[in-house]
Amino acid sequence: MTLRGRLTAAFLVVVLGPVVLGAFFVASTVAAVDRSRSTERLAVAASTVRTSVDALCQQLRAAADTVALTGDPAIAAGQLVGRGLAAAVQVTDVNGRVTYASPGAPPTPWRDCSEPAAAPSGPVRALAARVDRRDPAGALLGTVAAAHLVDPAFVARLAAVTGVAVTLLDGGASAARFTHTTESQQERDAVLAAAGSASGERVTESTRGRYVRRIGPSAGQPLPLVLSVPSERPPGLHVTLAGVVVLAGLLAVFTAWRLARVTTRPLVELAGAVDRVAHGDLTARVPVRSRDELGRLAAAFNRMTRETGSYVAALTSSRDQLRGHLAVLGDTLASTHDLQRILRVILHSAIAATGARAGAVLLVEAGGVLVAQCSEGLDGRWPAGDPDGSQGLRVPVGVGVVGAVAATGEPQRGRLEPTEAPTGEPRCRTYVAVPFSTPGGATTPGGPTTTVPGGERCLDEAGAAAALGVLALYDRVGADEFDDDDLDTLRTFAGHAAVAVENVRVHEEAQRLSLTDPLTGLWNYRYLRESIRREVERASRFGRMLSVLALDLDRFKDVNDTYGHAAGDTVLAEFARRVRGEIREVDLAFRQGGEEFVLLLPETDARGAAIVAERLGAAVRETPIAVEAYAGPIVVTVSVGIAVYPDHGSTGREVLEAADDALYAAKAAGRDTYRVAEARPDVPTWEIPVPAGAVSPPDGLPRAGRQVQVPREPGGHARSESTAGVPESNRSGPAHARPDPADEPAATAADAARAGPDVGRPGPGGGASSGPHPPRQSRGR
């Protein structure tokens, strides 16, 4: 370690040690205090719950005793219920038959206040107290039970009395299900999971920062309850402490660096300059900051480097030229993912750096063949049978010079006689060829090679990565052969070529994965937002219509619950395949999430969208989906909501929301059907005409005339008359709208408009897309 490094490390240890220890102490202390307080709150709440339930049981016993001591139980029970001392009273005889029950009594069985902790679990509908009913002689006449309803209001009262969140479980043996709760929906699952993992009445902490405690059922408290309180730790405590530590570390690093730099700067400058000269940099100079011994040493060092530099000016010039090529190469690698452009820059830089007359970059393709991706200076170097090089540079791996380099993974350089030119390679006198592989993959010499599908990577018998391609140069200018320095330089450029190929491959794969759903292969929600914006802009620009279909598989949760999520995934994948089979090449299919899908149908009105919806419903309904490992196929149906731009919205978001509303209407109508969204109220618009001349102005800039406001009919020019064939119910509401026979001509016209993928599309000069458009996934009908 250098002197500056040792000084910096010592300062950081002295400063950062107490800061880190203090942050750890504060975090642990706050966590311990917070847990202690929360445990105390839960203990008080548990005591309050037991007291409240015990008081309620005493009240119910008193009410039951009152009814048991009266001669007419019905009158006494009615008075007690009317006064609110009990929700219901039930009188049974010695045989267990009910002789009287209050009207509206909660369903039995009721949970008895005296019921032991090991009683059978089940939903708690009411809490009851039972007493024996006897005649004046003491003979047993039956029992009287007074009950209090256990409902959400009862649980809410317990929560209000205790000041904590209360959850009534669906039985005392498990915390997996609950009956009533005051927990928020976001916290409920985490609290139940924490309660299920707790043993006894120990306090545990949920994953969302709440402290949880289970109480009951037990003697005197038969209700299985879960109590929880939020953590009182300051929000963002750990983030704040981490920020303090990071900030202190940054300040300490800056201070230590500054102090060490001032202390050791002269020595570091001298050592750095010496090191640069040792590595061949004769332009290194040391600032002369004083007239002491170090200053005189710096002046002598500068004189030495100046005198030595005059003898290597030519080398310096050559090196500067090489750096310029590397700068161009670095800029190209950083600014583009065009593989052909990157390889051309690499080849041009390699030729300029080594003084070669010609060269080529070859990549391994399918079948184990090296194919030139770019070349330079190969004209006139082909055999007599192919003077124009029409066959290109294609060399099988293991054949010829470049083929042997790709097969063995070893670079080669040397000289060839005219009679020794390998078949398929250009004629040359001297050559140098260097293989390159993907970053992290080692070239393996010797042994046969194979190719994976796609042909971009060779593998030897041991499975190690072999050459991905070869960088070859021919006929060095001004020298007989390429030397070892040229070989080293070419290795550098070959490494750049390997990085470029791998970066392009990774970029393309990342772009594909970021826009597609891995299960169904459809576009994902992220690409849906971009596509609907682009399609709405295109439809608005050219005065076309755009239909949006929101699809949802009916009762898909039952499929997951019955057959399992693996079967559900199979159903989703098959449904996506059928959707792709029913739409055009220009249509877009998306998986919005779960079992919800969206279709974008450009240049399609409501009638055409309804026809597609019917075909989709039939394709799903008429052919059940076979799932492996199950005896019979799974029958599913789909509900569809239809909305059309601009009839149902002026933006992509509005049209998508209208399609969702129509989907809910289809669900409410019994599922397995479709509905068209209600037409929105027409808003009058104004058009500002701009007169255009027959000939463009010389400067190419537009010329606008006087702005004139012309009233338009409600709805704007974007509305299409193709919706005339759609039944009125399709345009105005969720009523089911199958095509009417009387409307068949209009339906046929609308459907014919959807027959071709490019019908109505502007040509290359008719307008550009508003954004990048990856290849369509669906096949044409």
Side-chain angles (χ1 to χ4, degrees), residues 554-555 559 563 571 620-626 632-637:
D554 299 327
R555 298 183 176 89
V559 175
Y563 303 99
V571 171
V620 176
R621 180 193 322 111
E622 294 174 0
T623 306
I625 298 176
I634 299 176
V635 179
V636 294
T637 57

Side-chain angles (χ1 to χ4, degrees), residues 268-324:
V268 170
E269 290 175 345
L270 182 57
V274 171
D275 186 65
R276 289 168 60 188
V277 170
H279 287 84
D281 184 7
L282 298 179
T283 63
R285 297 292 185 269
V286 178
V288 180
R289 304 183 183 277
S290 63
R291 295 182 179 275
D292 57 5
E293 291 79 2
L294 288 177
R296 292 197 299 271
L297 178 61
F301 176 82
N302 291 338
R303 287 195 305 272
M304 180 189 68
T305 54
R306 279 195 302 269
E307 293 174 0
T308 307
S310 61
Y311 297 103
V312 290
L315 179 61
T316 303
S317 176
S318 176
R319 180 169 297 167
D320 290 340
Q321 182 182 11
L322 178 59
R323 286 175 179 172

Side-chain angles (χ1 to χ4, degrees), residues 527-541 546 600 651-653 769-772:
Y527 190 58
L528 169 62
R529 293 184 300 176
E530 176 185 345
S531 298
I532 196 170
R533 175 189 58 79
R534 181 179 62 246
E535 294 297 338
V536 166
E537 289 179 357
R538 182 181 291 116
S540 175
R541 184 183 307 117
L546 171 68
L600 300 184
T651 65
R653 180 175 181 180
S769 174
S770 60

